[in-house]
Amino acid sequence: MTTNRTRGRWAALLLAVITPLVAEFTLGNPPPRMAWLLLLWIPIYGAGIVLVRELVRRAGTGWAGVLLLGAAYGIVEEGLALQALSSPTIYGAAGWAPRILGVNSAYTELQLPYHAVFSAAIPILLTDLIVPSLRDRPYLGRVGTWLAGAVFVLGALLLRVTVVTSIDPGYQAPPAMPAGCAAAVVLLTVAGLRLKPRPGMSPAGPPQPVAAGVFGAVAAFGYLALLFPFGGATQPAFTHGGWVVVPMTAAAALAVVAGWLLRRWTAGGLWTDRHSLGLAAGALVAHTAFGLISNADTVADRIGLAVVGAVMVCLLALLARRIRRPRAAAPGRP
């Protein structure tokens, strides 16, 4: 029991470190030369996603729970801490697409699924693959879970009083906006902790792990490219005016189709850890490739992010090698 508790604490710490690296650093935000800024992100990202995993594992709602609570996490960060979902000035996001009820529509469509996948699902998946013996159980006890929640709240406040005051000074969302964000967080959290996986989806044989990686890469790069203006564009996919509805609709359709395919592939019991790692690795490589064309502003930044991407690929290859290595069977079990 003591050994499991110790390993659980180390696994929670590993997840807390992996999360901001996956969500921010491997995208080039911040650039490698400013990696020290990750210290500001670790409390909210690390503790927040550890809390997500602890709650989902206790509730038994699986990956649907992770994605729903990951989206709730995104609302806390983007809607309550940064208030970027509604700010008319931050990142220029208000100009990406029409604002709906004071919300930056395209930015919101980009960020909430992004946090669900890259801030929550992929870091949790990688940690589960690194520490497979604890994948189906919580890492922490009740005290540790409450502590993660407290650090998460403090991390959000830290973000509010440091980053926001420098990149979006003076903006304060109208009271209805934080109230709406808080209500959405509650609804997503309740759904994520109550909605159990339902059978009934007709299974389909999954593709080979390499093909799953290609699928993950295409889906991730396509979603980011459809919604994030890059290459001098002021609106998604180089559109103008109302034409922005085209890439926004395409991104939503891409997410729905990708989710439907993944549900079918994972429903028949043939999906393995190698498939999961292939899917995550493809998404991560595409994620960093997109960062190279969208976030890296200088040659030095591009070289730095390319080095980060190369290190990431090497680490993923080591993890793949470890997964392929057969494990010794427990006594009395095949």
Side-chain angles (χ1 to χ4, degrees), residues 86-239:
S86 59
S87 173
T89 53
I90 194 169
Y91 308 139
W96 292 9
R99 285 161 56 88
I100 301 174
L101 299 177
V103 174
N104 298 326
S105 57
Y107 183 84
T108 300
E109 184 183 355
L110 170 68
Q111 290 295 335
L112 298 192
Y114 178 88
H115 283 295
V117 173
F118 285 97
S119 299
I122 290 181
I124 289 173
L125 171 64
L126 292 176
T127 309
D128 284 350
L129 293 175
I130 295 169
V131 193
S133 62
L134 300 178
R135 71 171 65 192
D136 296 322
R137 65 182 69 178
Y139 290 149
L140 304 172
R142 292 186 180 275
V143 174
T145 302
W146 278 102
L147 180 61
V151 174
F152 172 49
V153 172
L154 291 175
L157 293 174
L158 177 65
L159 210 62
R160 183 73 195 152
V161 300
T162 55
V163 174
V164 176
T165 55
S166 63
I167 64 175
D168 197 24
Y171 175 70
Q172 181 64 47
M177 193 61 63
C181 287
V185 169
V186 171
L187 289 174
L188 286 170
T189 301
V190 170
L193 298 180
R194 287 184 172 271
L195 294 180
K196 304 289 185 180
R198 293 183 179 180
M201 171 67 72
S202 57
Q208 293 297 315
V210 172
V214 173
F215 171 81
V218 171
F221 193 94
Y223 194 84
L224 294 172
L226 284 168
L227 291 175
F228 187 86
F230 64 95
T234 57
Q235 286 192 176
F238 300 91
T239 54

Side-chain angles (χ1 to χ4, degrees), residues 27 29 40 53 59 77 79 179 185 272:
L27 187 63
N29 183 27
L40 298 176
R53 189 189 182 281
E77 180 184 320
V185 169
T272 66

Side-chain angles (χ1 to χ4, degrees), residues 230-294:
F230 64 95
T234 57
Q235 286 192 176
F238 300 91
T239 54
H240 297 279
W243 284 104
V244 72
V245 71
V246 175
M248 291 178 67
T249 302
L254 176 61
V256 170
V257 170
W260 178 75
L261 286 173
L262 283 174
R263 283 198 64 193
R264 291 197 66 192
W265 289 339
T266 57
L270 299 177
W271 187 269
T272 66
D273 285 351
R274 292 180 62 198
H275 290 94
S276 295
L277 181 58
L279 180 72
L284 286 171
V285 170
H287 171 257
T288 300
F290 185 77
L292 283 169
I293 66 174
S294 63

